[in-house]
Amino acid sequence: MIDQTHDPKLRSWVESANRPDCDFPIQNLPLGVFRCAGEGRSRLGVAIGEFILDIGEWLSGNTLNGYLALPAGQRRDLRRQLSDVLKAGAPQRHLHAQAECQMLLPAAVGDYTDFYASIHHATNVGRMFRPDNPLLPNYKHVPIAYHGRSSSLIVSGTPVRRPSGQLSEGKFGPTRELDYEMEVGAFLGPGNELGKPIPVAEAGQHIAGICLVNDWSARDIQRWEYQPLGPFLAKNFATSVSPWLITSEALAPFRTEAVAHDVPVLPYLQEPGAGAIDATVEVWLRAPKMPSAVRLSQAHFKEMFWTLGQMVAHHTSNGCPLRLGDLIASGTVSGPEKENRGCLLELTWKGTEPLRLPNGEQRTFLEDGDEVILTGYCARDGFARIGLGTCRGVVLPAI
C-alpha cells in the first residue's frame, strides 16, 4: 500500500536524512535496537539520517518482538505516526548519533531457516558437481531450505572466528575455504498456530520487514559432511545480520512481478500480485593491507526464483508454526553473470579461478583479517531511494 509516507518530496527536520545518498531518508524509517554509550539498557529506535530517535513512546520492550506481534494495519499506523513526528515542520526531538550507539540484534529469534531460492546460485553450484544435470528434479517445484541455528546469529560488526571441523577422512582442523553468502532475510510475525498453514495470499501479513544476512560457510567442512542430510557444522558457527529492519511498508513502492516459472507450481504456491522486491545487493571486501574496500559483486533480489511469500507459505504448508521473531533467509542471491555471483565459491569457481585484488593479492576464499561488507538499496523512478544498511564482519584466526 503506497501512501503519503512514500512521497519523494517529503523532507525531514533532520538535515542528514535529506541528502540524496542517505540510506535512511524519511521514506525509509527502519526500526532497530540500540544501546547508548555508557548505558546497560537497550532501547528501540528508528533510523533517520545519521541519527536514531528513541521510540519507547510508541513501543515497549528491549527487542522488536512486540512490533512483530502487531497486525499489518497497526504496523502501518506506527509508520505514519513516526513520519509525522520526523517530517519537516514538526517539533524537533532529542536524537542519538548512530556513530555513538551500539546496535543489537533486532529481535529475539527462536528459529532460523535458510532457503536456496536463487536458481542462478543453485545452477552454478550444481554445475560444479553435476555438470550434465546441475538442477535436481525438485528445484522448480518446491522451495528448498534447511533449519539453521539461531544461537549463532550475530549482529553486524561482530567478528567471526574461523571455525575448525572435519575436513576429510581422519583430518580435523581450521577451515581453509571460508566463504560468505550474500542473502536477504525476513523477520516474521505474528505467526500461525500448529497445524494451521499460512496461505500464500496472506503470507505478506507475516513478513514484518527485511534485513541483510551473511550466512558464513566453511566449504571444505561442508563438502565432507553434507551428504546425506545437508548443511550442519559448516554453516552454524556464525550468521551475521544487519541491525535495521527495513519494514514491509517502506518496501511497498519496490514490489514487482516475480520471475516467470517454466514449470507450473502447485496452487498453494501461486502468489497473487507482485511478490518480488526490487532490491540491489552488493558485496564488498576490505583486506588488511588495502586502504579501502573493493566491490566483489552486485545482484538483484527480484531475480530470485522463489519469493519470500512463497517461502512462508511452503514453510507452514505442513502445519509448522512460525513464531514472532523467527528469521528466514533467501539463500545466496546470485544472477546470470559472473559479477552477480553472491559468494566466493561461485566467483572463484570452487577456488580454481582466484580473484585479484587492487593491491595485487589474490583470493580464492577468505583470509584472516578480511572484512566482508554487505550493502543494499531499493531505487525506482518517482520514489526516494532507500538503503538496507550494512552487514559486516571481520575474520579472526582459528583458536
Side-chain angles (χ1 to χ4, degrees):
M1 181 182 295
I2 299 176
D3 57 26
Q4 70 274 11
T5 63
H6 302 106
D7 185 348
K9 297 179 182 178
L10 198 61
R11 292 292 181 267
S12 173
W13 53 264
V14 182
E15 286 302 322
S16 62
N18 299 325
R19 297 171 186 165
D21 60 346
C22 176
D23 264 2
F24 305 132
I26 193 170
Q27 292 85 0
N28 194 346
L29 302 180
L31 304 180
V33 181
F34 71 103
R35 184 178 292 146
C36 296
E39 287 189 358
R41 71 184 184 97
S42 56
R43 305 167 181 242
L44 306 185
V46 59
I48 182 72
E50 297 174 351
F51 296 90
I52 304 173
L53 173 68
D54 187 319
I55 58 173
E57 177 181 335
W58 296 273
L59 283 174
S60 60
N62 55 12
T63 70
L64 288 178
N65 289 54
Y67 172 78
L68 302 176
L70 297 176
Q74 292 185 32
R75 296 199 301 259
R76 285 194 295 270
D77 290 343
L78 175 61
R79 173 180 169 82
R80 294 189 187 103
Q81 292 175 43
L82 295 177
S83 180
D84 287 342
V85 165
L86 290 166
K87 69 183 181 182
Q92 297 192 11
R93 294 171 176 247
H94 178 70
L95 300 174
H96 303 272
Q98 290 190 39
E100 299 174 2
C101 296
Q102 176 190 4
M103 298 305 300
L104 307 175
L105 279 174
V109 181
D111 281 299
Y112 160 55
T113 302
D114 193 22
F115 281 81
Y116 195 51
S118 169
I119 196 169
H120 301 291
H121 176 64
T123 301
N124 283 337
V125 173
R127 188 174 291 125
M128 294 177 190
F129 303 102
R130 299 178 302 276
D132 297 328
N133 188 28
L135 277 185
L136 293 174
N138 63 352
Y139 189 84
K140 294 184 178 182
H141 297 269
V142 57
I144 304 298
Y146 74 94
H147 292 289
R149 181 76 181 174
S150 61
S151 64
S152 52
L153 293 173
I154 53 177
V155 72
S156 170
T158 306
V160 174
R161 180 74 61 180
R162 181 178 296 272
S164 294
Q166 282 200 30
L167 306 174
S168 59
E169 184 175 351
K171 188 172 184 178
F172 182 93
T175 177
R176 292 174 294 183
E177 299 181 8
L178 183 61
D179 202 355
Y180 61 82
E181 290 192 348
M182 168 74 246
E183 306 193 17
V184 172
F187 282 99
L188 306 180
N192 58 307
E193 296 179 16
L194 178 67
K196 294 185 177 180
I198 296 174
V200 68
E202 300 175 12
Q205 300 176 33
H206 297 265
I207 300 171
I210 67 172
C211 61
L212 299 173
V213 173
N214 184 348
D215 189 37
W216 304 84
S217 300
R219 300 300 187 185
D220 40 6
I221 298 174
Q222 181 180 4
R223 189 164 54 247
W224 175 241
E225 74 175 3
Y226 86 106
Q227 296 286 5
L229 293 181
F232 185 35
L233 300 183
K235 294 278 194 175
N236 69 2
F237 60 94
T239 302
S240 298
V241 179
S242 60
W244 293 107
L245 178 121
I246 313 302
T247 68
S248 291
E249 291 71 37
L251 296 167
F254 309 101
R255 291 281 176 181
T256 188
E257 293 296 324
V259 298
H261 285 210
D262 57 352
V263 175
V265 299
L266 292 172
Y268 81 99
L269 290 172
Q270 293 175 6
E271 186 174 22
I277 299 170
D278 189 1
T280 299
V281 293
E282 299 178 344
V283 180
W284 296 73
L285 176 69
R286 178 180 286 113
K289 297 179 181 179
M290 285 171 46
S292 59
V294 59
R295 192 175 75 185
L296 300 185
S297 68
Q298 183 186 78
H300 305 286
F301 189 54
K302 68 180 180 180
E303 295 177 355
M304 301 299 276
F305 193 76
W306 299 105
T307 69
L308 293 173
Q310 289 171 320
M311 295 178 210
V312 169
H314 181 66
H315 202 316
T316 64
S317 61
N318 66 345
C320 172
L322 297 176
R323 296 173 294 183
L324 60 95
D326 281 359
L327 177 68
I328 61 172
S330 63
T332 304
V333 182
S334 291
E337 306 299 332
K338 183 173 182 178
E339 59 266 26
N340 306 139
R341 297 174 183 173
C343 63
L344 286 175
L345 180 69
E346 291 179 84
L347 274 174
T348 67
W349 208 253
K350 249 188 344 182
T352 63
E353 302 173 10
L355 293 175
R356 184 173 294 277
L357 303 181
N359 65 352
E361 292 184 60
Q362 293 185 343
R363 288 291 184 275
T364 52
F365 292 100
L366 296 172
E367 303 289 342
D368 293 345
D370 285 347
E371 182 180 27
V372 178
I373 306 165
L374 311 183
T375 65
Y377 60 89
C378 295
R380 176 186 167 190
D381 289 344
F383 292 91
R385 173 194 177 279
I386 68 169
L388 307 185
T390 61
C391 180
R392 61 179 68 222
V394 174
V395 178
L396 299 182
I399 295 176

